[in-house]
Amino acid sequence: MTAAPIHATAVAHWTPGAGWRAIVVSGPPGAGKSDLALRLIGRGWRLVADDYVHVFASGDALYATVPETIAGRIEARGVGLVGACARGVVRLVLAVELIDTAPERLPDPEFLTLAGRTLPLLRLKGFEASMVEKVAAAIALL
């Protein structure tokens, strides 16, 4: 297994019948990656990694894990680094890219390729109040 580090945040959610499934959140610095993760954690999700995520392929799937040096910590901008209940290796099922403009109302399906595998891609405006609900709706469709 060769894990490629990417500048992103990953969080996981337990789904009955499917187990732990994770999303990877990307975007430029200050776009709201950790903010979205903190909101999801507040709704029962678990941190996988904040700021840097190791992504690797196994079989047809993609997985995420945390670099050891940052395990169990997330940046709360304006507060500092805080501890968070974390998961280990988790299967990625969705990529979220935070953008600074309004996303298309009815976008065509898009995909992101990481480590030679593809994930469905959801583009959201960073810091939008409904980000958590949109992520929950998207992951429920998978």
Side-chain angles (χ1 to χ4, degrees):
M1 162 189 86
T2 302
I6 62 170
H7 180 70
T9 294
V11 287
H13 185 259
W14 175 261
T15 304
W20 288 99
R21 301 186 307 162
I23 65 168
V24 62
V25 184
S26 64
K33 297 178 293 292
S34 298
D35 182 80
L36 174 56
L38 286 166
R39 292 187 209 188
L40 290 166
I41 290 166
R43 297 213 176 175
W45 291 55
R46 298 292 181 257
L47 177 67
V48 176
D50 183 47
D51 201 32
Y52 283 94
V53 180
H54 284 176
V55 175
F56 65 94
S58 180
D60 291 334
L62 274 171
Y63 294 87
T65 190
V66 64
E68 187 177 312
T69 57
I70 60 172
R73 294 180 298 180
I74 185 168
E75 179 186 351
R77 195 171 286 252
V79 175
L81 292 177
V82 296
C85 187
R87 294 289 312 161
V89 176
V90 183
R91 183 175 181 175
L92 289 170
V93 297
L94 178 67
V96 176
E97 181 183 4
L98 298 181
I99 57 177
D100 62 359
T101 60
E104 290 187 41
R105 289 180 60 209
L106 300 169
D108 290 328
E110 292 186 85
F111 300 89
L112 176 68
T113 301
L114 295 170
R117 308 293 187 279
T118 59
L119 289 174
L121 175 64
L122 176 65
R123 295 179 197 272
L124 297 176
K125 185 172 183 175
F127 301 106
E128 192 173 42
S130 61
M131 283 193 308
V132 169
E133 287 78 12
K134 290 177 180 180
V135 167
I139 203 169
L141 295 173
L142 301 175

